[in-house]
Amino acid sequence: MKMNGAHILLRSLKEEGVDTIFGYPGGAVIDIFDALATKFHRDFKFVLVRHEQAAVHAADGYARATGKPGVCLVTSGPGGTNTVTGLATAYMDSIPVVVFTGQVPTPLIGNDAFQEADIVGITRPCTKHNYLVGDVKELARTVKEAFTIAGTGRPGPVLVDLPKDVVQAQGNFEYPRSISIPTYKPTLKPHIPSINRAADLIVQAKRPVIYAGGGVITSGAHQELRTLAEMTASPVTMTLMGLGCFPGTHPLSLGMLGMHGTYRANMAVDNCDLLLAIGARFDDRVTGKVEEFAAKAKIVHVDIDPTSIQKNIKVDVPIVGDARLALAKLIEALNKRGHSSKDRDKLKKWHATITAWRSEQRLRFDRTTEIIKPQYVVEKLYELTEGNAIITTEVGQNQMWAAQYYLFDNPRTFLSSGGLGTMGYGFPAAIGAQVAFPTKTVIDIAGDGSIQMNIQELATVATYELPVKIAILNNGYLGMVRQWQEHFYEKVYAHTDIMTAPDFVKLAEAYGATGLRARTVQEVEPVIRQALDTKGPVVMDFIVEREEGVYPMVPAGGSVRDMILV
Ligand SMILES: Cc1ncc(C[n+]2csc(CCOP(=O)(O)OP(=O)(O)O)c2C)c(N)n1
């Protein structure tokens, strides 16, 4: 059956099981938008954002919350270039997102046509793969490939550029059932001899630590991780991306490690004799000074991406494969070795040491002040949501306090820009998560700087009556940069004072959302309760201690011995 490219595209998306599209229209994609509003209006929920960057972050939030690829549709030229930050964000955190951009008609490509941008060229370094569709005949197969590549192996964003004449051309619709891409064959099954070497090391270890990252969540390996940790009595520390992959309230949880990780997590990694890294990439915010990172340990690294193994840290046992399969095999290998509770007894001393570190240096803040401490707000959010919310964050101190004080027990409940560190990510990501889970509580923990980067999306939450809650930890500073200036630049607060902010309560109201404010400790709980009881979107403006810091802090490039505790 003949149909135009726009219809072929949308039929293909239906075949992929897509139910939601985030986007923004323009001349180059007007045919697709026309089809979305007419023939396909029952097939997709379309969320019209106010800036294309937000469309990609929303698709990314949808993907992180659901595990399904997020989809985004924007126009050519500025529509495409506005997606770059969102693509780079998803790329750094390995999130499956498929972005469709309009393009000028093929005969005009390269002619500096109106709203032409070489988006395939521009996005090559920040997409897992990208395509320029040259012929309507290639369209359906390209969509199939795009989803396959975005969602398999180490996931990532894929961009498909659609020239207007291709979208308008007539073609036959035939969707490939399955495809093989000869140049793309991710290794899923782990190498068994390596699994056996890892199992032997686990059996011998006296001071093991599991270091779990976002890959555990991506591969759905949280159950296997828990089984492995419990059967071997190994303490588990998580990266920012890994939060939720192991219950934060579990007795074996050490919390997050790295620059703003817990004292016990960093001490445990510094002193362990075996580090079992799973789906984590040894980011510099985790390792600090590479030569001194886990220097006493044998290191096993499980990762689906062979290029991330040995990239930052030398490892003893590399295991390429899907984390869930690898952990299942590892559990099997340990069972074969008769690993039992008797063996766990030899870790008693190690556990006692960790308990001592924990009581020596807990996460803490001054609870005696009248002024609101930002940590207190996060703690109250945790308490009043009973740990059941999906939390997104912006970037900065707000992000670290969220990571430290909200204990995540389940995967896909903490959505944060870890790799790129994108201010402006959290609010649109919350929109994506809320669209995916309309009845869940979704909260963006924000800084007053970050929220201003995509605050125009208040119009989106108001339009779709999305009950997203925003908790602004308003310190009147670009707080995280200020903290670095405090410690390393002699308190010269160069251009980080942003006291001249809008009145966030009035701004929320102007957009048709509810605005609430707390100025004292006593007001925090009532404001949160009221926000949670309000059906629609709410902005909570918490006026917090201006110069509060995030601690512990390992200075960039430092080691555990440089940790600032305060
Ligand atoms: C788009 C972008 N620009 C700049 C930065 C650098 N940066 C990192 S944290 C930060 C301060 C964030 O301030 P705010 O949102 O108020 O949060 P706070 O640290 O005060 O919680 C800045 C400017 C960034 N991460 N992202």
Side-chain angles (χ1 to χ4, degrees):
M1 192 173 77
K2 288 253 184 222
M3 59 180 82
N4 71 17
H7 286 206
I8 291 176
L9 171 70
L10 296 176
R11 288 283 298 269
S12 304
L13 295 185
K14 269 176 71 172
E15 293 288 331
E16 286 298 325
V18 173
D19 52 20
T20 307
I21 303 172
F22 302 90
Y24 206 84
V29 282
I30 204 160
D31 296 87
I32 307 171
F33 277 78
D34 182 68
L36 270 172
T38 55
K39 189 157 189 307
F40 293 88
H41 68 281
R42 281 201 196 84
D43 298 302
F44 302 100
K45 183 175 176 67
F46 186 82
V47 179
L48 175 67
V49 294
R50 293 297 183 273
H51 188 296
E52 289 88 352
Q53 182 191 345
V56 190
H57 290 328
D60 165 317
Y62 177 96
R64 292 189 206 220
T66 61
K68 299 195 300 186
V71 178
C72 178
L73 170 64
V74 303
T75 196
S76 65
T81 52
N82 272 350
T83 67
V84 172
T85 301
L87 286 165
T89 304
Y91 184 64
M92 290 285 278
D93 288 345
S94 311
I95 306 302
V97 168
V98 182
V99 173
F100 294 94
T101 46
Q103 183 53 279
V104 301
T106 35
L108 293 186
I109 291 177
N111 289 5
D112 300 340
F114 177 65
Q115 293 195 328
E116 181 188 358
D118 173 12
I119 198 68
V120 167
I122 290 169
T123 61
R124 185 156 290 133
C126 62
T127 49
K128 185 173 171 188
H129 199 55
N130 60 16
Y131 297 88
L132 171 64
V133 183
D135 191 315
V136 71
K137 289 196 205 87
E138 296 164 15
L139 186 50
R141 187 189 159 86
T142 305
V143 174
K144 179 84 188 169
E145 280 193 19
F147 277 84
T148 305
I149 292 173
T152 57
R154 177 178 184 168
V158 175
L159 181 132
V160 182
D161 201 20
L162 303 163
K164 186 159 175 164
D165 55 329
V166 171
V167 167
Q168 291 178 328
Q170 295 286 315
N172 281 317
F173 178 66
E174 205 182 322
Y175 203 66
R177 289 289 125 227
S178 65
I179 50 162
S180 142
I181 310 169
T183 47
Y184 176 72
K185 299 260 181 258
T187 304
L188 301 181
K189 286 196 187 134
H191 183 57
I192 297 301
S194 303
I195 292 281
N196 286 331
R197 278 175 66 202
D200 289 340
L201 289 177
I202 292 174
V203 170
Q204 288 153 18
K206 294 194 175 64
R207 300 186 310 277
V209 169
I210 296 175
Y211 154 53
V216 175
I217 296 173
T218 309
S219 72
H222 52 280
Q223 203 49 57
E224 285 78 3
L225 172 64
R226 186 170 178 162
T227 305
L228 179 80
E230 286 174 352
M231 78 187 284
T232 60
S234 302
V236 180
T237 182
M238 285 151 281
T239 66
L240 182 80
M241 294 299 298
L243 290 178
C245 77
F246 187 76
T249 54
H250 195 288
L252 285 169
S253 172
L254 299 172
M256 185 171 74
L257 84 161
M259 180 175 276
H260 293 296
T262 63
Y263 178 76
R264 62 190 161 127
N266 284 327
M267 291 301 283
V269 170
D270 192 47
N271 287 284
C272 67
D273 64 355
L274 175 68
L275 189 71
L276 181 56
I278 306 161
R281 62 188 171 84
F282 295 95
D283 180 84
D284 61 285
R285 285 291 189 267
V286 161
T287 60
K289 193 174 194 175
V290 173
E291 307 82 76
E292 289 185 32
F293 178 76
K296 306 178 187 97
K298 289 253 186 270
I299 302 182
V300 177
H301 188 187
V302 179
D303 207 292
I304 195 146
D305 179 0
T307 67
S308 79
I309 296 182
Q310 311 286 15
K311 184 168 185 170
N312 299 328
I313 288 277
K314 216 180 130 359
V315 306
D316 300 281
V317 184
I319 301 176
V320 179
D322 174 78
R324 199 167 64 80
L325 294 179
L327 286 180
K329 288 288 172 205
L330 206 46
I331 291 165
E332 215 178 283
L334 285 164
N335 278 332
K336 271 199 202 132
R337 281 161 179 72
H339 199 70
S340 71
S341 53
K342 185 165 59 52
D343 303 296
R344 296 202 296 261
D345 283 351
K346 67 177 195 238
L347 300 186
K348 270 195 178 136
K349 215 171 127 198
W350 180 225
H351 289 153
T353 312
I354 290 172
T355 307
W357 283 326
R358 182 200 177 100
S359 49
E360 238 172 78
Q361 284 295 339
R362 282 177 190 279
L363 284 175
R364 59 171 181 253
F365 58 92
D366 182 0
R367 291 173 186 275
T368 61
T369 61
E370 191 49 20
I371 299 170
I372 302 170
K373 293 285 184 175
Q375 301 94 327
Y376 178 73
V377 176
V378 179
E379 205 176 74
K380 274 286 158 203
L381 286 170
Y382 176 69
E383 188 187 312
L384 297 176
T385 56
E386 293 171 0
N388 284 324
I390 295 178
I391 300 290
T392 70
T393 76
E394 301 297 336
V395 168
Q397 294 181 313
N398 58 86
Q399 179 183 34
M400 293 301 130
W401 285 318
Q404 291 178 335
Y405 287 88
Y406 200 100
L407 300 178
F408 298 92
D409 276 338
N410 294 299
R412 305 197 177 284
T413 57
F414 178 66
L415 321 182
S416 192
S417 169
L420 198 66
T422 310
M423 291 171 72
Y425 168 81
F427 181 27
I431 292 177
Q434 189 79 79
V435 170
F437 296 106
T439 58
K440 282 203 179 169
T441 303
V442 180
I443 305 175
D444 173 32
I445 297 182
D448 48 321
S450 298
I451 196 62
Q452 294 185 64
M453 289 225 170
N454 272 319
I455 200 151
Q456 76 285 345
E457 298 309 320
L458 279 172
T460 307
V461 290
T463 306
Y464 296 97
E465 294 172 3
L466 294 168
V468 170
K469 315 296 179 222
I470 302 174
I472 304 176
L473 307 177
N474 189 347
N475 53 17
Y477 276 121
L478 298 173
M480 186 57 98
V481 184
R482 185 210 63 76
Q483 182 171 338
W484 284 44
Q485 290 167 333
E486 176 186 331
H487 284 284
F488 313 118
Y489 293 84
E490 295 172 344
K491 299 195 179 181
V492 178
Y493 294 162
H495 305 292
T496 45
D497 188 324
I498 50 161
M499 277 299 270
T500 49
D503 180 327
F504 291 113
V505 171
K506 284 192 187 149
L507 192 60
E509 287 166 356
Y511 275 108
T514 303
L516 304 170
R517 179 171 290 123
R519 291 184 181 281
T520 62
V521 175
Q522 290 72 28
E523 286 166 356
V524 171
E525 184 165 335
V527 160
I528 297 175
R529 280 190 191 280
Q530 194 182 336
L532 294 175
D533 287 344
T534 303
K535 281 206 163 62
V538 182
V539 175
M540 295 171 267
D541 187 21
F542 296 100
I543 310 300
V544 300
E545 175 84 79
R546 288 207 76 199
E547 302 208 347
E548 187 68 19
V550 184
Y551 301 105
M553 180 184 195
V554 179
S559 77
V560 172
R561 272 151 293 284
D562 307 311
M563 199 177 339
I564 304 168
L565 288 165
V566 186

